[in-house]
Amino acid sequence: MSKLLNTRITELLGCRYPVIQTAMGWVADPQLVAGTGNAGGFGFLAGATIPPAQMEADILKVKSLTEANFGVNFHMYQPNAAEIVDLVIKHKVKAVSYSRSPGKDMVAKLKDAGVVCMPTIGLPKHAVKAVEMGADAVTVQGGEGGGHTGSVPTTLLLPQVVDAVGAQVPVLGAGGFKDGRGLIAAMAFGADGIAMGTRFLLTKESPVPEATKQRYLDCKNPADIIVSQALDGIQQRMILNRFLAELERAGNLKKLVIALRNGLAFRKFTGASIFGLLKSAIAMSKDGDLTPAQAIMSANAPMIIQKAMVDGRPDDGVLPSGQVAGVIDKLLSCEELISGLVAEAEAQLQRLQAQGK
């Protein structure tokens, strides 16, 4: 392997390659995380959609499947955030990722235990704040990325964040990456590696039902993977399907009914109390310009995603997706994906070096 692929992020996380598998809800399970680690990448378990007891079992399951380091993802508004942090520390998980910052005290607790803190951010100012709060690395997602996303493309946003914090911490690019050419492009912008979600969703180890995977593979045009605020009032990139089209047309009352229905299902699954769910929703509505329906929907969005990602009903739930799905045409194993990506990256480096002679 080229020494150029040994970056600050591989040193920080103890992985072979600067390739990160992001923590997609209902997708990033022990098999996918272990498959990523065994292939030389670094995987994150999705902690926002798992009850504490299952979270601990999943951490132990990953440890039984791989000796590679891995991480856990969570967000500050989930009712069991403190329990997730305790489990991460108890089982000596290498890293955590998060979007909404868990606050200085929680970051300090994690760092005191030697856990690497890696927030995902969407603006340079958020990267600066994250580093000030103790982040050890940052992942910057451009507008091409799936799920909650911004409007600025990765090619513009990534170098801005590198300029803002790259001298202090490793920076990872996310949004629009799927292969070795993308890795070299990100590194040319100053990044230390890439993070991919949709590309790992479309692997053989991914637990997503075949009917849902096929719905992703059927997207042949990146422009058909749209940004919508219909789910929770925040920009999300998703595949336009029947459920999303219904949400786009629904008024506030209907959205509130849908939100409450899914909220009750989420409460039963996670064990969270109604009070805990409402507390999360209130915290979200105070933190932004969300209506009660949007806040509740945001708090229990994992149950809406579950219908597609677990139940195999791609038209009855939402399908978070990066635009890169429009240019992916086959399922690979994690080993095939990462080894092919690394080989292509090295070939691109050799080509560039030859051109420079």
Side-chain angles (χ1 to χ4, degrees):
M1 183 185 75
S2 169
K3 290 182 179 179
L4 290 175
L5 296 185
N6 183 24
T7 71
R8 290 184 297 173
I9 201 65
T10 59
E11 294 293 327
L12 182 65
L13 297 177
C15 53
R16 278 182 284 159
Y17 307 123
V19 179
I20 309 301
Q21 164 252 304
T22 63
M24 302 154 284
W26 307 113
V27 179
D29 72 348
Q31 283 71 28
L32 180 58
V33 172
T36 299
N38 287 333
F42 189 93
F44 279 96
L45 271 174
T49 54
I50 302 175
Q54 185 61 44
M55 183 77 258
E56 185 165 30
D58 280 3
I59 289 172
L60 293 173
K61 180 66 174 178
V62 176
K63 286 179 172 287
S64 75
L65 295 172
T66 183
E67 294 182 357
N69 291 333
F70 66 97
V72 166
N73 171 268
F74 71 102
H75 66 75
M76 68 178 291
Y77 290 123
Q78 65 188 80
N80 62 342
E83 294 174 85
I84 295 292
V85 169
D86 289 341
L87 287 174
V88 165
I89 294 171
K90 174 183 176 181
H91 293 290
K92 296 180 172 58
V93 173
K94 183 66 176 179
V96 294
S97 65
Y98 46 87
S99 52
R100 299 174 188 269
S101 174
K104 287 186 178 180
D105 291 344
M106 199 172 282
V107 170
K109 182 176 181 179
L110 287 161
K111 288 175 69 67
D112 286 346
V115 179
V116 175
C117 295
M118 294 177 54
T120 298
I121 54 89
L123 288 172
K125 65 180 182 181
H126 295 159
V128 171
K129 182 179 179 181
V131 172
E132 288 174 349
M133 294 182 68
D136 299 296
V138 296
T139 300
V140 51
Q141 177 173 306
E144 303 95 322
H148 289 118
T149 197
S151 302
V152 181
T154 305
T155 51
L156 298 179
L157 187 59
L158 179 55
Q160 286 184 300
V161 174
V162 168
D163 288 345
V165 301
Q168 300 165 263
V169 299
V171 176
L172 294 160
F177 296 108
K178 70 178 183 70
D179 55 23
R181 290 180 298 179
L183 173 58
I184 298 305
M187 293 179 70
F189 280 122
D192 295 270
I194 56 174
M196 303 187 296
T198 303
R199 176 63 271 197
F200 277 104
L201 183 154
L202 293 171
T203 58
K204 294 175 182 177
E205 286 90 341
S206 163
V208 173
E210 293 305 312
T212 301
K213 286 182 180 176
Q214 190 59 51
R215 182 70 178 82
Y216 278 80
L217 292 173
D218 288 342
C219 292
K220 301 303 182 183
N221 184 355
D224 293 335
I225 302 169
I226 68 166
V227 171
S228 170
Q229 296 184 10
L231 181 62
D232 57 12
I234 305 171
Q235 285 192 169
Q236 289 203 56
R237 189 172 292 284
M238 299 173 278
I239 294 171
L240 182 61
N241 64 355
R242 185 175 61 200
F243 180 81
L244 181 55
E246 179 186 359
L247 275 183
E248 289 277 358
R249 295 190 301 266
N252 287 336
L253 180 59
K254 186 171 184 179
K255 286 181 179 177
L256 182 60
V257 171
I258 295 172
L260 290 171
R261 183 174 66 233
N262 284 285
L264 290 173
F266 189 44
R267 181 180 67 84
K268 290 179 181 178
F269 178 79
T270 62
S273 66
I274 292 178
F275 173 76
L277 177 64
L278 291 175
K279 184 179 178 181
S280 295
I282 291 168
M284 286 180 174
S285 61
K286 286 182 178 179
D287 194 47
D289 297 322
L290 303 184
T291 67
Q294 290 168 340
I296 295 173
M297 193 80 84
S298 182
N300 67 79
M303 290 309 294
I304 303 171
I305 298 171
Q306 182 195 34
K307 293 178 182 178
M309 298 301 173
V310 178
D311 299 343
R313 295 152 52 195
D315 274 326
D316 296 330
V318 297
L319 298 166
S321 178
Q323 285 186 292
V324 74
V327 291
I328 294 174
D329 58 8
K330 72 167 60 171
L331 301 177
L332 301 173
S333 69
C334 289
E335 177 61 38
E336 290 169 335
L337 170 60
I338 294 178
S339 63
L341 184 153
V342 169
E344 185 178 41
E346 291 178 331
Q348 291 300 314
L349 284 173
Q350 292 173 2
R351 180 181 67 81
L352 291 170
Q353 289 168 348
Q355 288 178 348
K357 293 180 180 179

